[in-house]
Amino acid sequence: MSVDSTTPIAPLFTATVPGIARIGANRELKRAVEAYWSGRSDRAALEAVAVQLRATGRRTLTEAGIDAVPVNTFSYYDQVLDTAVMLGALPPRVAAIADPLDRYFAAARGADGVAPLEMTKWFDTNYHYIVPEIGPDTTFALDATKVLAELAEAAADGVDGRPVIVGPITFLALSKAVDGAAAPLERIDEVVALYADLLGRLARAGAAWVQIDEPILVTDTVDELPGLAARVYRTLSAIGER
């Protein structure tokens, strides 16, 4: 078969990266968040900075030749805290805070009369994450607002977004039991059901594939981890076959 210059040639590979820094080249996010906390700026100003940082990140990657651009890598504070919000796993003590953003920040850093969640190192790095608390009364419920919004935001820019989420095993393994609850990983089936729902929603929203980060899988901190991972991902991989 002859091929001339007008014959389209399918790409031989896809170029991507696992994520992109969210703070901004000049630490714009840090300044915007601190201004919001101090009352020197409002929510609209904070959200405007966030929108601009996400747009800049997508543009930087597409101009570099990235085919599948990671989305949902942005966070106002921490990706594990974002996952707790996504799964309805914030502690009861912040529930009375009506505003979702202020409730989020109260969980991260406390508020008047509200103690923050614990913070600890992300594995052996200098990054610190917010430790979710899983109690006997924690009722998991999916809130996919953030990840769906960032996928739609990318699509509006003509960008093929690939949602990035913290995996269910890592999330529960990094959480802590409170108020006499069993080990969080004992509730893996409840959480996996929500992840299955999430994957279905993302597929319907146009996501061709999803990146699920499970750094816990390269540790020896969880008993019988290979078998657990196999069971979880047999369930989740089946979502793409429906």
Side-chain angles (χ1 to χ4, degrees), residues 152-176:
E153 187 180 67
D157 271 355
V159 172
D160 179 17
R162 183 187 75 255
V164 179
I165 54 177
V166 175
I169 303 175
T170 295
F171 174 77
L172 289 176
L174 296 183
S175 299
K176 71 175 184 179

Side-chain angles (χ1 to χ4, degrees), residues 141-242:
L142 181 64
D143 179 358
T145 303
K146 177 181 182 294
V147 60
L148 288 170
E150 292 191 26
L151 180 63
E153 187 180 67
D157 271 355
V159 172
D160 179 17
R162 183 187 75 255
V164 179
I165 54 177
V166 175
I169 303 175
T170 295
F171 174 77
L172 289 176
L174 296 183
S175 299
K176 71 175 184 179
V178 297
D179 301 329
L185 269 171
E186 293 192 15
R187 301 186 64 178
I188 187 69
D189 291 338
E190 295 174 61
V191 172
V192 168
L194 298 186
Y195 274 76
D197 185 4
L198 174 63
L199 292 178
R201 295 191 196 191
L202 290 173
R204 291 190 293 274
W209 55 307
V210 177
Q211 176 182 322
I212 304 178
D213 290 342
E214 289 281 23
I216 200 70
L217 298 185
V218 297
T219 74
D220 58 3
T221 59
V222 177
D223 292 337
E224 301 179 358
L225 186 54
L228 175 62
R231 179 166 66 84
V232 166
Y233 283 94
R234 272 196 301 269
T235 299
L236 295 182
S237 64
I239 304 302
E241 300 170 359
R242 294 177 183 175

